[in-house]
Amino acid sequence: QMKSPYTGDTRDCGFSFKHINDDYAFFIKGDHINIDACNFFGVGDEFTIYSYGQHLHVTRCEFEQMVGGGIIVRNSGDHDMLVPGGLVVDNNSFHDFGKYYLSYKPAVLLQEAVGAQITHNEIYNSARYGIDFKYGNIECIMEYNYIHHCMQNSADGGAFYCGRVVTNRGNVIRYNLVS
């Protein structure tokens, strides 16, 4: 048991991962994975969580002093039938990331996701952008995020980055605070 950094109560919570120097701290190819209340500090050469699975939930985690970015998700959901993949990234803190990889390493990168929900996260102190959803994302929702102090090492990007990809359809960005 340990004290939760988010609620202050003592209960079973996640693990702390510090200074893992592999390309990916977690490479997940499976379904119904919950990563809850974990702390990632100084982790990863590329991304901390790299997933090809369905129903990945990353909640109440803190990602700090990241070498690269935070989470990358590919092929979540069924594009032909428009069935959501169940990706939820909610109530996390991403800060001080992109320490060595100063560009193209966002807090959250979606590629070919259907119905992903990126909500209630705080993203700040990044070398480049916060959320990247540039390849084939359909009906993803990005809302209630607080994104500030991004783009500290670049001028081409922003809090959200979409690029010029025609395979994105029906994505919603709303109710975010960007400063």
Side-chain angles (χ1 to χ4, degrees), residues 58 71 87-92 94 108 117-121:
V58 180
I71 299 171
L87 170 68
V88 175
V89 178
D90 182 64
N91 197 25
N92 299 290
F94 298 88
V108 180
Q117 298 178 26
I118 313 300
T119 58
H120 302 98
N121 299 291

Side-chain angles (χ1 to χ4, degrees), residues 40-176:
F40 299 90
F41 181 89
V43 173
D45 200 18
E46 286 283 336
F47 287 89
T48 304
I49 300 171
Y50 188 95
S51 174
Y52 271 96
Q54 307 297 314
H55 302 286
L56 170 67
H57 292 188
V58 180
T59 55
R60 300 181 313 137
C61 294
E62 183 172 12
F63 298 82
E64 58 180 313
Q65 299 292 327
M66 306 308 293
V67 172
I71 299 171
I72 182 172
V73 178
R74 288 197 167 121
N75 301 323
S76 177
D78 185 337
H79 280 74
D80 296 333
M81 300 301 293
L82 296 180
V83 176
L87 170 68
V88 175
V89 178
D90 182 64
N91 197 25
N92 299 290
S93 174
F94 298 88
H95 61 92
D96 301 292
F97 58 93
K99 291 299 182 183
Y100 296 107
Y101 293 94
L102 300 176
S103 63
Y104 303 107
K105 304 299 179 200
V108 180
L109 172 60
L110 299 178
Q111 293 184 345
E112 300 178 6
V114 178
Q117 298 178 26
I118 313 300
T119 58
H120 302 98
N121 299 291
E122 184 176 12
I123 301 170
Y124 61 100
N125 290 347
S126 71
R128 196 132 188 234
Y129 37 75
I131 298 174
D132 184 347
F133 62 105
K134 60 184 168 192
Y135 300 114
N137 296 294
I138 301 171
E139 298 178 359
C140 296
I141 296 174
M142 292 153 271
E143 63 184 2
Y144 301 111
N145 297 294
Y146 178 33
I147 303 174
H148 57 98
H149 296 93
C150 289
M151 302 302 299
Q152 294 182 4
N153 193 50
S154 181
D156 177 24
F160 295 93
Y161 186 77
C162 181
R164 299 169 298 276
V165 180
V166 297
T167 55
N168 285 327
R169 300 189 311 259
N171 297 302
V172 177
I173 299 173
R174 63 181 176 203
Y175 314 129
N176 295 287

